[in-house]
Amino acid sequence: MIKLAIDLGSSMTKIYRADTNSGVVLAEPSCVAVVGEEERVKAIGKEAKNLIGKTAERTSIIYPVYEGEIVNMRLAAAMLKEFLSRIAIKSAALRRAQVLISVPCGISERALASYAALTEECGLKKVWFVEQPYLAALGAGVILTDTDPVFCLDIGGGVSNAAVISADGIIAGLSMNVGGNNMDANIISKISNNNKLLVGALTAERIKNEIGSLAPGALGTIVAEGSSTETCQPSATSVQAGDLTDCIRVYINKVLEYASEVLRTLPAEVAAIVNRNGVYLSGGIMKIPYVPQYIGSKLGMRYRVCEEPQFAAVLGGGVLLRDTVLLRHFAKVIEA
Ligand SMILES: Nc1ncnc2c1ncn2[C@@H]1O[C@H](COP(=O)(O)OP(=O)(O)OP(=O)(O)O)[C@@H](O)[C@H]1O
Ligand SMILES: [Mg+2]
């Protein structure tokens, strides 16, 4: 039987196939390009993302899963159906497939119901919903027990999750609408103010991913292209990594504020174990140099970064799908 773990991330959708050795079978931007008032679908995934900021007025790019919530059901369904077709599984096999969906920590009943409606619309019949921190922990290779709680912190594109969990459940946790998208937006205003250059969202993300760093004295340089804010003409300027540090750090600090709230509520014994075990870090933002070190030093604890931080949740989904007993234990809703 086909087994799929799906992470409908704000930035990127990831699908992991657990019944074969295929591993991650899809990683595509979670966006759809639509045309006109009727929002006719023009492109999905990589092709749609590539159009960001380059289209004429009639085309817009929509992220149907925004900050962990399904904000446009029709387009979310079109996107997920297309991704499922790209991994070449026939619809009859999909109906029988076991599917695990990662959802934000502490998801509301209403938001969970939208995920259920989405999967039903996509013809998926056996679906489990599991809160992201369990999956991130399992994806990091943690063996969850009742007596050894772990602290997981994931920073993605639109959402961050912080939770202390054990095999018994989430002891304390929350998700917050803070992530890489905020950093990209901050980079746009910084370059506009400092360099008098307006760059697009794609360029800002690329700059963050290529030279972004929290290393003391970060040295990277990149040529950014866009339009001059003074002459409105196409223009280019050199941007230094050191100038962007604050754009990243301010949002890491914000996440850490929330994470500290989570830690403050822990019972003393749990706090002692978390202090000993440290924090497990995941999400695409952990790829920015020195972000993990910075988080570890701010929290004053040991840190471990998942081997593939962006894929931690789907890798953990794979672990669960291979272990039926654990799966039933962690699933939020079971649909037969
Ligand atoms: N090599 C990289 N260096 C720095 N940042 C990166 C890199 N690769 C991806 N990112 C950033 O990581 C973020 C996406 O991370 P991730 O895939 O974990 O998010 P997501 O799961 O799609 O979204 P969310 O969990 O917020 O719903 C984006 O901001 C992206 O720009
Ligand atoms: Mg994510």
Side-chain angles (χ1 to χ4, degrees):
M1 184 191 309
I2 291 171
K3 297 182 179 190
L4 301 173
I6 303 177
D7 177 5
L8 287 163
S10 304
S11 297
M12 202 188 275
T13 297
K14 300 98 173 163
I15 305 184
Y16 179 96
R17 187 155 175 188
D19 58 302
T20 61
N21 290 326
S22 324
V24 177
V25 287
L26 180 127
E28 292 248 11
S30 307
C31 60
V32 183
V34 295
V35 188
E37 273 178 21
E38 72 282 15
E39 297 196 329
R40 183 178 56 77
V41 174
K42 174 172 168 172
I44 292 177
K46 284 191 195 83
E47 295 81 10
K49 182 167 181 185
N50 203 21
L51 292 172
I52 291 178
K54 302 172 192 161
T55 55
E57 243 173 53
R58 276 173 54 74
T59 300
S60 38
I61 314 297
I62 293 179
Y63 279 77
V65 182
Y66 187 70
E67 298 181 342
E69 289 217 18
I70 296 164
V71 291
N72 186 321
M73 182 60 77
R74 182 179 71 87
L75 294 179
M79 181 177 82
L80 183 54
K81 280 179 191 168
E82 170 64 19
F83 289 159
L84 290 168
S85 82
R86 285 186 194 174
I87 59 172
I89 300 174
K90 300 229 157 51
S91 42
L94 270 181
R95 273 195 294 280
R96 290 191 305 271
Q98 283 190 356
V99 179
L100 182 153
I101 308 266
S102 169
V103 293
C105 179
I107 186 170
S108 68
E109 288 299 321
R110 184 187 51 77
L112 189 62
S114 320
Y115 274 90
L118 171 69
T119 50
E120 196 177 331
E121 172 64 25
C122 293
L124 305 170
K125 300 284 180 215
K126 290 184 185 159
V127 186
W128 285 268
F129 299 98
V130 180
E131 285 174 275
Q132 200 272 353
Y134 290 120
L135 300 175
L138 295 168
V142 172
I143 295 169
L144 288 169
T145 66
D146 282 344
T147 52
D148 209 14
V150 292
F151 175 31
C152 295
L153 181 60
D154 180 286
I155 308 182
V159 187
S160 298
N161 285 277
V164 175
I165 55 178
S166 74
D168 198 33
I170 292 183
I171 298 167
L174 50 77
S175 69
M176 60 212 106
N177 299 342
V178 181
N181 296 345
N182 302 110
M183 300 172 190
D184 299 344
N186 213 357
I187 286 174
I188 293 175
S189 26
K190 185 79 169 202
I191 295 177
S192 169
N193 290 335
N194 281 11
N195 307 72
K196 308 291 174 233
L197 183 80
L198 186 64
V199 297
L202 278 186
T203 300
E205 184 182 19
R206 191 168 52 80
I207 292 172
K208 174 191 81 220
N209 297 358
E210 287 186 17
I211 63 163
S213 171
L214 289 193
L219 285 176
T221 302
I222 199 168
V223 175
E225 292 168 311
S227 62
S228 160
T229 56
E230 284 165 343
T231 64
C232 300
Q233 295 295 305
S235 179
T237 181
S238 167
V239 175
Q240 318 296 323
D243 294 340
L244 305 180
T245 309
D246 281 347
C247 304
I248 298 166
R249 191 169 38 216
V250 66
Y251 289 104
I252 303 288
N253 287 344
K254 212 163 249 206
V255 171
L256 289 173
E257 270 173 40
Y258 286 103
S260 299
E261 287 295 314
V262 169
L263 295 175
R264 259 195 284 279
T265 63
L266 296 178
E269 290 297 351
V270 176
I273 298 167
V274 164
N275 188 54
R276 197 179 322 133
N277 286 347
V279 57
Y280 287 84
L281 300 173
S282 60
I285 293 306
M286 297 308 155
K287 292 196 203 166
I288 299 178
Y290 278 83
V291 164
Q293 287 88 333
Y294 180 79
I295 292 175
S297 81
K298 281 293 225 182
L299 291 171
M301 56 175 71
R302 280 190 323 136
Y303 63 89
R304 283 178 253 205
V305 188
C306 300
E307 209 170 304
E308 294 192 73
Q310 259 193 295
F311 295 105
V314 279
L315 294 175
V319 172
L320 267 192
L321 283 166
R322 291 192 178 97
D323 188 331
T324 320
V325 176
L326 261 193
L327 178 60
R328 286 186 188 284
H329 187 66
F330 286 122
K332 188 107 183 159
V333 164
I334 300 174
E335 295 231 326

